[in-house]
DNA sequence: TATTGTTATACTCTATAACTATA
DNA sequence: TATAGTTATAGAGTATAACAATA
């Protein structure tokens, strides 16, 4: 089968997969009163390194740095993270998840029910093949420009 | 290898894949001055059936129906779609993509460069395996709540 | 001079609730 | 009564531009 046909067959499947995954993630986040952006920030802070400059967080969730101020304000007010001045460079403020924030992140991850069930239902060879394909795709998909 | 370990290995890969895919899609949409929501509406209208009630569109992109009014206003003002009253039920308005809208949708799809390249670089067996796994996952992932 | 975070501004998305016109 | 679309409202995300503090 030609490359073009393979891609054409995969494209709509990938689109549906991404849409369904996001719905599941958003549902888990909203169940705890978090917006999509807030959940992304929190989960970013709960994968090592657990303290990150606000600037770095903006880069990771792909938004302008000025937005992080307000997002951090709201999450700090609810006790899920705190600001810490970096002693080495006093311009920089790191965001750090509080114990409450860490616990919430764990809950959100656990409550992606459909994603977890779908992945758990794969056979071992299917899971292995899926992991291999994703690992093959990511370098190209995560290329910068 | 146990199911739990398979899932734990897959989860971060899937998260990165979804994030990278979305970045690519959003970049293509923003390149034409469309927001993510506007692009989703437009692409929904360019997969048959090409005319859909505003209510149906809200369901498909998973937002409240009241939002579609404003989104449709902005896209109609830019000439990418138009409203059509359904003669069979005069409460209903269908959204229909204009030729300009159809052309733009094609361009956005074509400009998901990293996604297209990543998929095109798969070998035939990899593409087949990927399609099979996605087809296995979707019924569970798309289960309603 | 350059960078980090903040603030102000304008626009968009979002849900909720009240409204209209149809059914 | 019930449904489709609209409007008004409030809260949140977003980019841009200007600013203070620090490097």
């Amino acid at each position: 089968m030609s490359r073009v046909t393979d891609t054409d067959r995969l494209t709509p499947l990938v689109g549906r997969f991404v849409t369904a995954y996001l719905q599941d993630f958003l549902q888990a986040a909203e169940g705890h009163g978090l917006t999509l952006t807030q959940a992304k920030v929190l989960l970013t802070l709960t994968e090592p390194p657990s303290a990150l400059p606000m600037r770095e967080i903006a880069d990771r969730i792909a938004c302008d740095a000025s937005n992080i101020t307000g997002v951090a304000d709201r999450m700090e007010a609810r006790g899920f993270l705190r600001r810490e001045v970096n002693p080495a460079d006093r311009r920089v403020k790191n965001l750090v998840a509080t114990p409450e924030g860490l616990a919430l992140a764990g809950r959100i991850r656990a409550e992606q029910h459909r994603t977890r069930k779908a992945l758990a239902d794969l056979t071992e060879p299917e899971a292995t093949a899926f992991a291999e394909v994703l690992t093959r795709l990511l370098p190209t998909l995560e290329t910068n420009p």
Side-chain angles (χ1 to χ4, degrees), chain A residues 47-138:
Chain A
E47 285 158 357
S50 57
L52 288 171
M54 296 174 71
R55 182 81 205 191
E56 173 67 21
I57 292 179
D59 291 342
R60 295 209 188 188
I61 72 170
C63 74
D64 190 87
S66 65
N67 298 316
I68 304 299
T69 299
V71 174
D73 284 348
R74 288 181 276 275
M75 296 185 71
E76 193 169 28
R78 294 177 60 190
F80 297 136
L81 56 80
R82 64 176 190 279
R83 287 165 161 92
E84 273 184 0
V85 175
N86 183 339
D89 183 342
R90 300 188 46 216
R91 294 173 302 180
V92 175
K93 290 179 193 166
N94 290 327
L95 297 188
V96 187
T98 61
E100 292 75 18
L102 287 172
L104 179 56
R107 259 178 260 133
I108 290 174
R109 271 189 259 263
E111 289 170 9
Q112 295 180 54
H113 298 301
R114 295 195 290 279
T115 300
R116 294 183 81 79
K117 171 150 181 46
L119 294 179
D121 284 351
L122 293 179
T123 64
E124 193 280 338
E126 286 172 335
T128 299
F130 193 35
E132 283 173 1
V133 171
L134 291 177
T135 303
R136 274 264 291 156
L137 293 172
L138 281 173

